[in-house]
């Protein structure tokens, strides 16, 4: 099994792993604005392509003293790793999908989302634009009503942070002219909110005929598998049709198997309802293709034009 050179190891750590971890830790608008300007995800995808072309298709071991770290570059290997979670591939701390919150029961999610979307639509019609700040305030009210009840609607202190990613997906989906569940899934494919999936093997495992020891740390950089132009003709465009056919084992915006985000269905339902409710009354100019590798949702300000049926 190939072991990367020290130079390639440094390149992967500096271009792929460390910036991604930093972006996950420092989630403010300033950090993401810098990442967008540098198109850090595009750079990371290019680094992964070079790694795959030089060492693949088996997992590439990084030259790190005292640790066994393997970067996956083959989509079939990603499918195997995620399907065999948590045994023998256990999630590493920090790799699940954000902060987990208890899922609500018997909540009329669609009614809540449409109620808040109506108010947001009126606001966008009056201002002529939909900004992230306005959207985020609305999404916070949606989250509080779903998870904490209607009485918590205006209590900013009670917003469940684990639901934030669904709001980000929705705003980005609006920016590409997406609709429905497939549109939300495409937003998550193009700009995954969990770009690093990390696993540790609990036993020795074999890959492409070669052995990797117990306690090997496996790294999956999802933007590479979602947007590899060498493998995917739709890498940098909006392609909702792909979700109606057979699924690629490495396109996993919400994870897969036992490691799949437990709030996936709720997030998709709320996000797609908000997306469709706004699009029934407003139209927004879509980003031109090829779509950027990094998209700063904090900086989005979408011109809004009234269309379709009027708000009642």
């Amino acid at each position: 099994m190939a072991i990367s050179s020290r130079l390639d190891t440094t390149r992967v750590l500096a271009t792929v792993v460390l910036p991604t971890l930093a972006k996950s830790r420092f989630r403010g608008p300033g950090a993401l604005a810098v990442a967008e300007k540098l198109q850090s995800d595009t750079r990371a995808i290019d680094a992964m392509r070079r790694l795959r072309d030089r060492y693949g298709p088996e997992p590439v071991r990084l030259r790190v003293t005292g640790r066994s770290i393997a970067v996956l570059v083959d989509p079939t290997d990603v499918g195997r790793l995620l399907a065999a979670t948590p045994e023998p591939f256990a999630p590493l701390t920090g790799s699940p999908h954000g902060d987990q919150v208890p899922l609500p029961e018997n909540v009329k999610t669609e009614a809540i989302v449409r109620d808040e979307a109506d108010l947001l639509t009126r606001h966008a019609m009056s201002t002529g634009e939909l900004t992230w700040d306005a959207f985020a305030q609305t999404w916070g009210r949606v989250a509080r009503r779903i998870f904490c009840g209607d009485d918590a609607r205006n209590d900013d202190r009670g917003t469940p942070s684990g639901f934030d990613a669904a709001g980000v997906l929705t705003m980005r989906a609006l920016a590409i002219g997406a609709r429905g569940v497939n549109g939300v899934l495409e937003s998550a494919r193009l700009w995954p909110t969990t770009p690093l999936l990390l696993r540790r093997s609990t036993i020795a495992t074999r890959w492409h005929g070669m052995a990797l020891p117990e306690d090997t740390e496996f790294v999956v950089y999802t933007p590479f598998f979602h947007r590899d132009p060498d493998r995917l003709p739709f890498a940098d465009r909006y392609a909702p049709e792909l979700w109606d056919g057979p699924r690629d084992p490495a396109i996993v915006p919400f994870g897969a198997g036992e490691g799949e985000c437990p709030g996936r269905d709720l997030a998709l339902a709320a996000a797609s309802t908000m997306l469709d409710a706004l699009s029934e009354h407003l139209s927004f100019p879509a980003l031109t293709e090829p779509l950027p590798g990094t998209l700063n949702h904090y900086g989005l300000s979408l011109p809004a034009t009234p269309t379709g049926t009027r708000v009642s």
Side-chain angles (χ1 to χ4, degrees):
M1 183 171 293
I3 300 178
S4 66
S5 67
R6 294 194 182 279
L7 178 60
D8 287 332
T9 293
T10 300
R11 182 179 291 118
V12 170
L13 292 176
T15 307
V16 180
V17 179
L18 295 180
T20 304
L21 291 175
K23 192 166 59 176
S24 298
R25 181 177 181 182
F26 303 105
R27 300 178 181 178
L32 196 50
V34 172
E36 182 181 54
K37 183 176 181 178
L38 297 175
Q39 283 299 297
S40 59
D41 293 288
T42 299
R43 293 184 176 192
I45 290 169
D46 289 342
M48 288 293 300
R49 292 167 67 193
R50 288 193 295 269
L51 193 74
R52 183 264 323 278
D53 293 345
R54 181 169 296 181
Y55 300 104
E58 61 265 18
V60 182
R61 298 185 70 177
L62 300 185
R63 198 175 292 272
V64 178
T65 302
R67 297 173 69 181
S68 176
I69 301 178
V71 179
L72 298 193
V73 295
D74 182 83
T76 302
D77 290 346
V78 175
R80 172 193 171 187
L81 185 84
L82 299 181
T85 297
E87 182 63 40
F89 303 115
L92 284 170
T93 302
S95 63
H97 295 253
D99 301 324
Q100 300 300 323
V101 294
L103 297 180
E105 297 181 0
N106 302 319
V107 173
K108 296 180 179 179
T109 300
E110 182 175 354
I112 290 173
V113 173
R114 286 194 168 272
D115 186 30
E116 298 296 339
D118 179 84
L119 297 176
L120 182 59
T121 297
R122 295 172 186 274
H123 173 78
M125 284 181 173
S126 68
T127 62
E129 64 179 355
L130 178 61
T131 64
W132 166 253
D133 287 342
F135 179 86
Q137 291 176 24
T138 294
W139 193 257
R141 290 191 288 268
V142 168
R144 290 189 291 274
R145 290 180 65 183
I146 289 175
F147 289 95
C148 304
D150 289 341
D151 291 342
R153 178 182 184 271
N154 297 315
D155 185 0
D156 292 343
R157 299 168 300 175
T159 300
S161 59
F163 205 55
D164 289 350
V168 173
L169 293 179
T170 309
M171 189 66 181
R172 288 172 173 165
L174 288 167
I176 58 175
R179 294 290 295 269
V181 172
N182 284 12
V184 179
L185 289 168
E186 269 295 89
S187 176
R189 176 187 70 84
L190 291 161
W191 301 287
T193 56
T194 306
L196 277 184
L197 301 178
L198 309 174
R199 301 289 188 268
R200 176 183 287 116
S201 59
T202 59
I203 59 173
T205 56
R206 296 187 67 81
W207 301 81
H208 300 266
M210 302 295 290
L212 282 173
E214 179 184 352
D215 288 332
T216 293
E217 298 171 20
F218 292 87
V219 178
V220 177
Y221 181 61
T222 55
F224 166 61
F225 293 100
H226 289 192
R227 300 189 66 171
D228 177 9
D230 300 321
R231 191 172 68 88
L232 305 172
F234 51 81
D236 296 326
R237 67 174 177 86
Y238 174 54
E241 68 278 1
L242 77 91
W243 297 99
D244 294 325
R247 302 295 173 83
D248 185 299
I251 298 181
V252 287
F254 290 90
E258 292 296 323
E260 185 175 57
C261 174
R264 174 187 183 277
D265 291 344
L266 176 61
L268 283 175
S272 61
T273 299
M274 176 64 76
L275 187 62
D276 290 349
L278 292 174
S279 299
E280 287 169 6
H281 305 287
L282 300 169
S283 65
F284 309 98
L287 293 175
T288 57
E289 298 175 352
L291 296 171
T294 304
L295 181 61
N296 175 19
H297 59 278
Y298 292 106
L300 288 176
S301 180
L302 308 178
T305 303
T307 186
T309 58
R310 305 295 297 178
V311 180
S312 59

